[in-house]
Amino acid sequence: MYSHIFDTLLLYFEQMSIEALLQYQKENNLNIIAMGAYSHNRFRSAIFGSFTTKMLLNSQVPLLLFR
């Protein structure tokens, strides 16, 4: 019937650095990362930078973004 089987893993990370998340992805050979996107206001993003934008620039696997 279906030719692909998907294994999923749901993790909730709070206050995790981009480097730690990308390292976790590499260590566990994840094929995709799903995450919420752009949840903070523009002022905060302008001062501190956007986590979502940094992930887009640094991730080596596809990102599935939810807004």
Side-chain angles (χ1 to χ4, degrees):
M1 190 170 225
Y2 294 107
S3 62
H4 293 49
I5 296 175
F6 297 97
D7 291 328
T8 59
L9 175 64
L10 176 62
L11 299 171
Y12 177 76
F13 295 107
E14 187 173 330
Q15 302 297 325
M16 187 171 203
S17 71
I18 291 168
E19 294 81 14
L21 184 56
L22 294 175
Q23 184 63 34
Y24 182 87
Q25 178 273 318
K26 285 182 183 178
E27 289 173 357
N28 293 281
N29 197 29
L30 303 178
N31 297 323
I32 190 169
I33 297 174
M35 59 182 268
Y38 301 109
S39 63
H40 296 287
N41 67 36
R42 292 179 191 257
F43 178 74
R44 184 176 187 273
S45 293
I47 300 298
F48 298 109
S50 166
F51 187 90
T52 303
T53 301
K54 290 176 185 175
M55 283 294 293
L56 286 168
L57 293 173
N58 293 293
S59 180
Q60 300 298 310
V61 298
L63 297 176
L64 178 60
L65 303 176
F66 299 95
R67 184 160 180 162

